[in-house]
Amino acid sequence: IRQKSLVRYKNWFFPFSEEKLINDRFLYMKVKRVTSIDIIKNWQFIYVSEKEKELGQDYYSSNEVVRLIPIYIFIGISLIMFVITLITWVVFKKMEFLFYAVFIASLSIFISGLILDLENFLFSDLPLRGYWIIEILAVFINASYLSFIVYYLETKKAYPRIHKVFLGILMLLFMVIILDGFFFFKENYTLHLYLLGSQRYFMLFFAIATMTYFYFFARNRLTYFVIAGLLLFVLGIIGSRIFQGSMYIILGAFLEIVIFGLGLIYKVRDGYQERLNFERQSNINSNKALRAQINPHFIFNALGSIQGFITKNNRMAALKYLSKFSRLTRNILESSIETNVVLADEISMQRII
């Protein structure tokens, strides 16, 4: 059975022997459409020999090669972005980079599976299991994307109400993965298809609702990166479903990756600028504290007193006063460097004063 997919036909092979033929000529097959969204006109029932099967799996036609160029470009760009975000996560230890790396990897494998028929390539002995892994990646894509938004926007602090909704949706997605695995491996394919189909439509409407909420209640510029990236991604999915073409989902995913790449760079830059401002303010506060400890009027009076002792030729008093003043100045400067000061040193300094 050949089923038309986004770029090429997906082939489902059912081997049979001559003994199965009716009157040595006819083959009777009973086929059932499981879901209403499966378009029957996209099905073709044809006979291929073993040799033709091998050729169809190992080679592409010239038209297929042209159509597959965008997917290979997309996979290459996704691989580069995956490595960059993963390295950035290792360096900065920010969870949004880790979840975005997982999202890019899951998305690339999922799109490649839809278009390049990866389940038959990677799981030739267990094609159904390969099919399930590719299909369940759609749920991982939603989960990793949602987790990325939670950390990227810091929704727990910036959007506490919708943060609880996000956590609930994440729990729901993990329940879908467990439940779908149970249905699939119990060979209840009807419930498997309906569960994943319902999940896709639910997450599509949830994405639209999330964009609407963020548009009206945006707290910072980072939110607009989420709105733009999510909008392009959703439009790509809708376009691929309506027009049955891979270019829409590839283009939407590519633009989404570019948008969030810029968004992550902006957040790193914003965090770096915030850290510089914090360090600058910290230095200002340290200088203020130092000035509070070494009052200019106090220094002027102390030096004036020492000058008075020298003028009166009272060398012993001048040396004693100068020794105390120098020890006090050194203690104050040393304590300004340290975050914590030993109590005994502080008491000693107060005695000098």
Side-chain angles (χ1 to χ4, degrees):
I1 300 176
R2 302 184 72 191
Q3 183 183 12
K4 185 179 179 183
S5 66
L6 294 178
V7 169
R8 59 182 313 203
Y9 286 94
K10 297 183 70 173
N11 299 314
W12 306 91
F13 295 100
F14 299 92
F16 62 92
S17 59
E18 293 184 9
E19 290 76 14
K20 298 290 184 180
L21 295 176
I22 302 174
N23 295 331
D24 297 328
R25 226 181 133 176
F26 301 103
L27 181 68
Y28 176 77
M29 295 182 66
K30 186 177 181 180
V31 181
K32 177 184 177 182
R33 183 174 70 168
V34 178
T35 62
S36 59
I37 61 174
D38 209 357
I39 304 174
I40 293 183
K41 70 178 182 179
N42 290 337
W43 296 8
Q44 293 182 5
F45 297 88
I46 58 175
Y47 165 76
V48 294
S49 64
E50 195 68 29
K51 186 66 175 177
E52 290 173 327
K53 175 185 173 183
E54 294 177 1
L55 290 173
Q57 290 178 332
D58 298 336
Y59 299 96
Y60 292 103
S61 67
S62 58
N63 290 333
E64 286 179 329
V65 169
V66 173
R67 291 177 181 177
L68 289 174
I69 288 176
I71 182 63
Y72 287 122
I73 295 175
F74 173 75
I75 292 173
I77 295 174
S78 299
L79 180 61
I80 294 172
M81 286 297 299
F82 170 76
V83 173
I84 292 174
T85 50
L86 200 61
I87 293 175
T88 309
W89 169 68
V90 173
V91 174
F92 292 99
K93 303 298 182 185
K94 290 185 175 292
M95 292 301 295
E96 55 263 39
F97 290 98
L98 175 62
F99 283 116
Y100 198 67
V102 173
F103 165 75
I104 292 175
S106 302
L107 180 64
S108 302
I109 297 173
F110 177 74
I111 293 179
S112 302
L114 289 179
I115 299 174
L116 302 179
D117 207 14
L118 283 185
E119 61 266 25
N120 289 325
F121 177 74
L122 298 176
F123 305 91
S124 56
D125 297 331
L126 298 168
L128 280 179
R129 184 172 298 179
Y131 158 80
W132 181 78
I133 291 175
I134 297 297
E135 288 293 309
I136 209 66
L137 273 176
V139 187
F140 274 104
I141 289 170
N142 292 328
S144 57
Y145 198 84
L146 196 56
S147 301
F148 161 74
I149 292 176
V150 167
Y151 283 94
Y152 180 73
L153 294 181
E154 299 178 359
T155 55
K156 186 176 182 179
K157 180 174 64 176
Y159 304 95
R161 291 183 179 178
I162 200 171
H163 176 75
K164 295 179 180 179
V165 177
F166 282 174
L167 294 182
I169 297 297
L170 284 172
M171 292 179 61
L172 183 63
L173 290 174
F174 284 113
M175 289 176 59
V176 167
I177 293 173
I178 296 172
L179 193 60
D180 185 71
F182 176 78
F183 289 153
F184 189 85
F185 291 103
K186 286 293 183 179
E187 298 184 356
N188 195 332
Y189 301 126
T190 302
L191 289 178
H192 152 73
L193 290 172
Y194 276 116
L195 180 62
L196 287 190
S198 301
Q199 181 267 154
R200 290 191 186 103
Y201 282 111
F202 173 78
M203 290 306 298
L204 180 62
F205 288 116
F206 178 71
I208 296 173
T210 301
M211 286 188 293
T212 305
Y213 178 86
F214 281 149
Y215 178 78
F216 287 104
F217 300 99
R219 300 283 178 85
N220 49 52
R221 293 181 181 179
L222 295 176
T223 309
Y224 294 107
F225 283 102
V226 173
I227 295 173
L230 196 56
L231 178 62
L232 293 170
F233 189 52
V234 168
L235 289 177
I237 294 174
I238 294 175
S240 66
R241 293 295 177 185
I242 295 176
F243 301 104
Q244 291 293 303
S246 65
M247 282 303 300
Y248 297 97
I249 190 170
I250 292 174
L251 183 61
F254 169 75
L255 293 176
E256 188 273 341
I257 290 175
V258 171
I259 291 293
F260 273 118
L262 296 174
L264 289 171
I265 292 173
Y266 178 83
K267 185 170 185 180
V268 170
R269 175 184 168 276
D270 193 53
Y272 177 72
Q273 191 66 38
E274 184 178 349
R275 187 166 64 252
L276 286 180
N277 293 336
F278 176 78
E279 291 176 356
R280 188 182 298 112
Q281 189 63 37
S282 178
N283 291 333
I284 293 173
N285 292 335
S286 298
N287 291 332
K288 287 182 178 178
L290 187 59
R291 290 194 195 100
Q293 289 178 306
I294 307 180
N295 190 284
H297 186 65
F298 167 75
I299 295 175
F300 178 80
N301 289 339
L303 292 176
S305 300
I306 295 172
Q307 185 182 20
F309 287 129
I310 295 173
T311 303
K312 294 178 181 179
N313 204 23
N314 191 348
R315 297 168 59 186
M316 293 299 296
L319 289 173
K320 184 179 178 180
Y321 205 106
L322 183 62
S323 176
K324 287 185 176 181
F325 179 73
S326 63
R327 190 161 65 249
L328 175 64
T329 305
R330 185 186 67 181
N331 289 341
I332 290 176
L333 291 175
E334 287 179 349
S335 65
S336 67
I337 299 174
E338 301 294 334
T339 306
N340 300 313
V341 180
V342 179
L343 179 60
D345 295 341
E346 183 67 22
I347 293 173
S348 175
M349 186 168 61
Q350 291 300 323
R351 284 175 180 172
I352 295 173
I353 296 175

